[in-house]
Amino acid sequence: MKYPKQKRRKKRKEHKPSILHQKDGTCYLCIKLRKDYRIHPVVHEHHIFGGPNRQISEAKGLKVYLCLEHHLWGHQAVHNNHEIMRLLQQDGQRAYERTHSREEFMALIGRNYLDMEPFIVPPEEAEKVEPGITFLEPDCRGCFGASENQCKKCEEERHG
């Protein structure tokens, strides 16, 4: 071969250490939630911002080390509990914003986790909504607007 192809090296990804927690065998959530500093035989690396932002989490050190109970198995496991996941995301944002601005975080991740509040129904709207489950009338066939003769719950006349 006169002109052989040059071998290209694969670009290596940056693996920065965690900016929240050291890999010393302790679990970040055990320490945060229970004040338990035990050394666990196995800890998993959890990227705080997953999905399309996983590589960003890896490159910027936005990861923590979790015991199996808090990573996969328990009721407080990050992959089973949305509130715990949100708690980690807020901690990750706070840690990143110690050395960067909020605008830089927003440009990087695309979402602000510190200003997120649970959805609360305004008091005037809460009065209009009936609490609990709405049951069909006893003789209703489940019309839901599919027929001309609708039940009382559909705000028209009942089935005949």
Side-chain angles (χ1 to χ4, degrees):
M1 220 190 277
K2 241 180 181 180
Y3 300 104
K5 281 187 176 181
Q6 289 182 346
K7 290 185 180 181
R8 294 184 186 214
R9 289 183 173 237
K10 187 175 181 181
K11 186 177 179 184
R12 295 200 54 125
K13 293 179 183 171
E14 185 181 351
H15 297 281
K16 191 174 178 186
S18 174
I19 62 173
L20 285 118
H21 185 223
Q22 293 179 356
K23 187 177 184 178
D24 57 0
T26 59
C27 171
Y28 181 80
L29 286 176
C30 284
I31 293 169
K32 185 165 182 75
L33 301 175
R34 301 182 197 155
K35 308 283 189 247
D36 180 7
Y37 289 86
R38 269 186 304 152
I39 303 295
H40 297 276
V42 176
V43 289
H44 286 182
E45 183 178 80
H46 174 73
H47 296 87
I48 294 174
F49 302 103
N53 295 324
R54 181 185 168 102
Q55 292 178 349
I56 295 169
S57 289
E58 180 68 42
K60 301 297 181 184
L62 295 168
K63 54 190 175 182
V64 292
Y65 301 97
L66 303 175
C67 64
L68 294 176
E69 180 186 349
H70 282 121
H71 191 230
L72 299 172
W73 294 344
H75 68 280
Q76 287 186 331
V78 164
H79 293 289
N80 296 334
N81 191 325
H82 186 70
E83 288 83 25
I84 299 293
M85 176 71 84
R86 214 35 104 211
L87 178 77
L88 281 181
Q89 289 167 338
Q90 290 172 347
D91 288 352
Q93 182 175 349
R94 280 189 202 98
Y96 187 80
E97 288 181 0
R98 279 188 244 146
T99 56
H100 299 83
S101 68
R102 172 119 349 139
E103 290 76 25
E104 289 175 313
F105 181 81
M106 292 291 293
L108 190 69
I109 301 296
R111 191 169 181 184
N112 182 7
Y113 292 94
L114 295 179
D115 293 338
M116 296 181 86
E117 293 184 18
F119 178 72
I120 300 171
V121 179
E124 54 275 357
E125 293 292 322
E127 295 171 0
K128 297 176 186 174
V129 178
E130 290 183 28
I133 300 171
T134 303
F135 293 99
L136 298 175
E137 293 294 317
D139 58 345
C140 181
R141 298 182 198 132
C143 60
F144 298 108
S147 66
E148 293 179 19
N149 294 326
Q150 296 176 336
C151 66
K152 185 177 176 184
K153 293 291 180 187
C154 297
E155 299 175 0
E156 288 190 18
E157 61 188 55
R158 293 175 59 115
H159 297 284

